Amino acid sequence: MYTLAIETSCDETSIAIVDDNRNVLSNIIATQIATHKEYGGVVPEIASRMHIEAINMTLDAALSEAKLTLKDIDFISVTQGPGLVGALLVGVSFAKALAVSNDIPIVAVNHMRGHIASNYITHKSLEPPYIALVLSGGHSYIMDVIDYNHLVKLGETRDDAAGEAYDKVARVLGIGYPGGAELEKLAKKGRPTIDFPRVYLEKDSYDFSFSGLKTAVINYINTASMKNEKIIKEDVACSFQDAVIDVIVEKSIRAARNRNRKIIAISGGVSNNRTIFEALKKAGEAYDIEILYPLAKFTSDNAAMIGEEGMIKFKHEGPSDIRFIADPNMGL
Ligand code: ZN
């Protein structure tokens, strides 16, 4: 069984073909990063327009790489949300048109569940139950994946997502966009000399709050520049990242222990950050908890993960009613 998956929630136009054995036959990504870089962030209007320009070529490339035609496709998977509404609309309209004109069923997929599913295409033997730690540009979640279609949300961000905090701190440090990877590199050369706040919230909470930390970093930089003091960017990056990691590690390991899970699977763009992985791995060793992360090509937005989640949903509940609409604020 094959699904053709379409992802256009933000700044990547992606179409993939995935089978029901977790194999990715093609995963084409037309990225817009170079365009948005000029503006220091994603410009929604430009993103929508570029999705329209790229989507037909992306479809042709995905089919030809998989050596399949639309006749071989059993159903279409498409990202319904969350994301930028205009960007989502391009993918959803395109998917519906393809489905209706070729008489193929369609499945509406939650983008964040797609991120979680990216670990299934990377670790073919991964099975629930486990803890999913989702860290992306717009969202942070700790989920207990009890079964493929039964996920319990333990915690989420109350303000800035982890990726958002990384990008904003990178911007004030003047290290470009997207800043997450650059910030990690910079942090490696620094020392944790600044005591930025660790926000754990209530004692039992699994929620995150990174906005206070971000503000503390900005205040530190502003105060130093007012006093004409030299800022050691490497040390700021290292101290910021340490504060983020301490909170992520404490909450994720506590979640795994309390829920009696032996695996934590990280996903989302931030799961590319090896420093976070290493810290989790070290903390997990004491409790026999294994840490997994997806292959780099499945960490940022891609349609293969949408196809994998579509496959899980289709097997469980069959096709979606085609009258579904794009949902920019879709929750998990
Ligand atoms: Zn994403």
Side-chain angles (χ1 to χ4, degrees):
M1 188 156 62
Y2 298 115
T3 183
L4 180 130
I6 300 169
E7 153 64 33
T8 63
S9 67
C10 190
D11 59 347
E12 325 273 8
T13 315
S14 181
I15 299 190
I17 295 171
V18 174
D19 74 7
D20 51 349
N21 282 315
R22 300 184 173 182
N23 296 310
V24 178
L25 284 80
S26 61
N27 184 37
I28 309 295
I29 303 171
T31 183
Q32 308 174 359
I33 288 180
T35 307
H36 297 292
K37 204 172 189 162
E38 288 174 42
Y39 305 94
V42 177
V43 184
E45 274 303 310
I46 296 176
S48 311
R49 211 177 324 136
M50 290 187 78
H51 283 309
I52 295 172
E53 286 168 10
I55 204 158
N56 272 306
M57 280 184 295
T58 313
L59 172 69
D60 292 344
L63 284 167
S64 100
E65 194 175 302
K67 298 187 177 64
L68 294 173
T69 69
L70 281 172
K71 286 193 173 51
D72 303 307
I73 302 302
D74 295 277
F75 66 96
I76 290 168
S77 303
V78 62
T79 303
Q80 180 181 11
L84 302 168
V85 67
L88 288 166
L89 274 170
V90 177
V92 168
S93 314
F94 188 77
K96 286 185 178 185
L98 265 187
V100 171
S101 57
N102 294 281
D103 200 17
I104 308 174
I106 190 166
V107 173
V109 174
N110 182 310
H111 178 86
M112 301 315 294
R113 283 213 185 196
H115 274 301
I116 293 172
S118 66
N119 271 303
Y120 295 131
I121 41 182
T122 302
H123 308 283
K124 297 229 189 313
S125 58
L126 173 64
E127 277 182 39
Y130 63 90
I131 296 292
L133 171 64
V134 192
L135 301 171
S136 79
H139 303 269
S140 306
Y141 288 106
I142 297 182
M143 308 288 296
D144 187 5
V145 184
I146 295 171
D147 206 341
Y148 289 104
N149 59 323
H150 184 193
L151 285 74
V152 173
K153 182 161 65 191
L154 303 178
E156 66 186 315
T157 183
R158 292 193 192 167
D159 39 59
D160 288 6
E164 215 170 332
Y166 265 84
D167 283 343
K168 283 179 185 166
V169 168
R171 198 178 305 167
V172 293
L173 285 174
I175 51 176
Y177 164 88
E182 290 303 315
L183 194 142
E184 187 192 5
K185 260 189 243 165
L186 200 65
K188 280 207 173 83
K189 296 182 214 146
R191 289 180 305 128
T193 50
I194 313 147
D195 191 19
F196 289 131
R198 272 79 170 150
V199 181
Y200 291 100
L201 302 165
E202 303 80 31
K203 191 174 151 285
D204 298 326
S205 176
Y206 294 112
D207 283 349
F208 296 110
S209 168
F210 293 117
S211 152
L213 169 61
K214 175 198 71 190
T215 308
V217 177
I218 295 170
N219 286 344
Y220 174 86
I221 294 168
N222 288 344
T223 309
S225 76
M226 274 192 303
K227 290 186 190 161
N228 267 330
E229 288 170 2
K230 193 175 158 10
I231 301 160
I232 305 169
K233 285 186 181 184
E234 290 81 358
D235 288 356
V236 175
C238 182
S239 307
F240 160 77
Q241 181 163 262
D242 266 22
V244 172
I245 289 177
D246 281 354
V247 175
I248 288 176
V249 167
E250 191 278 331
K251 287 177 188 277
S252 315
I253 298 289
R254 178 159 49 85
R257 291 185 66 201
N258 285 347
R259 308 285 292 192
N260 206 10
R261 305 297 182 222
K262 289 295 175 199
I263 294 171
I264 298 173
I266 329 171
S267 58
V270 184
S271 62
N272 249 335
N273 183 310
R274 284 298 95 89
T275 315
I276 295 179
F277 166 76
E278 291 299 339
L280 272 166
K281 193 175 156 220
K282 203 167 153 232
E285 271 163 9
Y287 309 103
D288 241 350
I289 298 167
E290 190 187 357
I291 315 297
L292 303 178
Y293 60 89
L295 281 171
K297 59 183 171 185
F298 303 131
T299 52
S300 47
D301 293 347
N302 65 88
M305 67 182 199
I306 301 302
E308 182 57 32
E309 173 59 21
M311 199 53 89
I312 292 169
K313 196 174 170 191
F314 185 77
K315 281 182 185 169
H316 202 80
E317 16 180 303
S320 307
D321 182 329
I322 196 152
R323 288 170 293 181
F324 74 87
I325 53 169
D327 182 356
N329 302 313
M330 199 173 190
L332 243 180

